[in-house]
Amino acid sequence: MVSETGSDHANAPGDEAAGGTAPGTGNRAAPAPGGGSAPGAADDAASEPGDETPDSAPRTSVWLDRRAPSRSRRTESPAGLDRNRITEASVRLLDADGLARFSMRRLAAELDVTAMSLYWYVDTKDDLLELALDAVYAEITPPREDAAWQDRLRELARSYRELLVRHIWISPLAGTFLNIGPNAMLFSYAVQDIVRATGLPLERQTGALSAAFQFVYGFGTVEGHFKARCDATGLTQDEYYRQAMGTIRAQPHMRRITEASDELMAARGGDTVEEMRERDFVYALDIVVAGIEAVRDRSGAPAR
């Protein structure tokens, strides 16, 4: 059965987070949604000459770098260029071309400057990817402060899901970088405020973070890539789904599996892929909320 929801992606947000400060668990200090320590995301993207500088050294995060610029290897800073403008252009390119095609040369062409001029502001392509990642976290809508924690969780989860669908390139980056930029940390703090308000015992709160926001990460990642695949084929999501299901049902060796799922799919409800997906998302969040409430009630701790 073709599923347009769910998650088969490893390294979801918070897999390496620490101290309950992000959606997940782990052993690192000051995490945010995501937070990996894998080699730079350039490993996942096409590399071109000029993408890295000769004297660049491995670093943990662009947000932890306080080194003075090495101007001996840099051109003159071009007029009208700054880090914010470079970051905005990076986001536009990543949205348009994807992570695999992103390079310093393409970015320089977009800005009408030389590739080397970008090194006034960043040391590596990974720096740009990390800056772009944090920039889009600013698009997450903060939940209402006066709402119940259940409603705040649903609001924040929906906004995070929409972000993952809108910028499909952030999913692998969120699992690669530390996610300790200012916007990522604001998201992390908002998540912490919600889970504290649940009344869960402190030792259970990171588990609740994982259940809620790693689910959203997986759901939004799959949804975003499914939508992108449909767009690439020129088909609507419903057309693509019908075509895929028709192809699968035509395979004799898969008929037993598809027939067994027909009852489940009929009970799922919804006339379109988007309606089916929305029902799944809402109900899954209801289950997460109910689970948190059940654990809290067993512990005897009241919600705040």
Side-chain angles (χ1 to χ4, degrees), residues 4 6 161 165 218-228 237 277:
E4 57 288 334
R161 168 194 170 191
V165 174
F219 194 102
T221 295
V222 173
E223 179 182 357
H225 283 277
F226 180 80
K227 183 177 182 300
Q237 294 184 54
R277 184 189 297 121

Side-chain angles (χ1 to χ4, degrees), residues 126 145 168 175 178-179 204 292:
D126 278 8
E145 294 184 1
I168 63 172
L178 284 176
N179 292 256
R204 302 297 185 196
I292 292 173

Side-chain angles (χ1 to χ4, degrees), residues 19-243:
T21 62
T25 59
N27 299 311
R28 207 181 342 268
S37 59
D43 293 342
D44 299 322
S47 179
E48 297 183 12
D51 277 355
E52 305 297 339
T53 55
D55 59 343
S56 61
R59 288 177 296 161
T60 304
S61 169
V62 67
W63 302 106
L64 300 178
D65 180 37
R66 294 294 181 268
R67 296 178 303 170
S70 176
R71 285 186 166 74
S72 61
R73 62 174 170 80
R74 301 171 191 256
T75 61
E76 289 299 314
S77 175
L81 196 63
D82 56 38
R83 181 175 272 194
N84 287 338
R85 186 182 168 204
I86 292 172
T87 301
E88 291 169 359
S90 297
V91 171
R92 288 197 305 271
L93 275 184
L94 287 162
D95 285 342
D97 298 337
L99 181 60
R101 298 185 63 196
F102 182 80
S103 71
M104 299 292 267
R105 291 189 183 279
R106 287 179 183 272
L107 178 61
E110 171 77 9
L111 293 167
D112 195 24
V113 298
T114 65
M116 287 305 297
S117 66
L118 298 175
Y119 292 108
W120 264 96
Y121 306 97
V122 294
D123 284 317
T124 68
K125 182 171 68 175
D126 278 8
D127 287 356
L128 285 174
L129 294 174
E130 196 173 3
L131 291 168
L133 174 63
D134 189 72
V136 297
Y137 275 123
E139 299 174 17
I140 295 177
T141 304
R144 294 168 295 158
E145 294 184 1
D146 59 346
W149 70 262
Q150 295 91 334
D151 293 330
R152 285 191 285 150
L153 187 150
R154 291 185 177 98
E155 291 171 6
L156 192 61
R158 179 170 296 279
S159 187
Y160 184 37
R161 168 194 170 191
E162 291 170 352
L163 181 76
L164 290 162
V165 174
R166 191 162 53 245
H167 306 290
I168 63 172
W169 49 270
I170 74 174
S171 295
L173 298 187
T176 297
F177 296 116
L178 284 176
N179 292 256
I180 55 173
N183 294 314
M185 293 304 292
L186 285 174
F187 177 36
S188 181
Y189 295 152
V191 173
Q192 292 177 64
D193 286 342
I194 292 171
V195 78
R196 279 194 292 266
T198 65
L200 281 172
L202 189 62
E203 68 273 14
R204 302 297 185 196
Q205 291 184 9
T206 55
L209 291 174
S210 295
F213 286 91
Q214 289 189 29
F215 152 68
V216 178
Y217 173 90
F219 194 102
T221 295
V222 173
E223 179 182 357
H225 283 277
F226 180 80
K227 183 177 182 300
R229 181 176 288 256
C230 295
D231 292 342
T233 62
L235 300 174
T236 67
Q237 294 184 54
D238 295 323
E239 291 169 340
Y240 186 95
Y241 178 72
R242 285 194 296 269
Q243 186 179 97

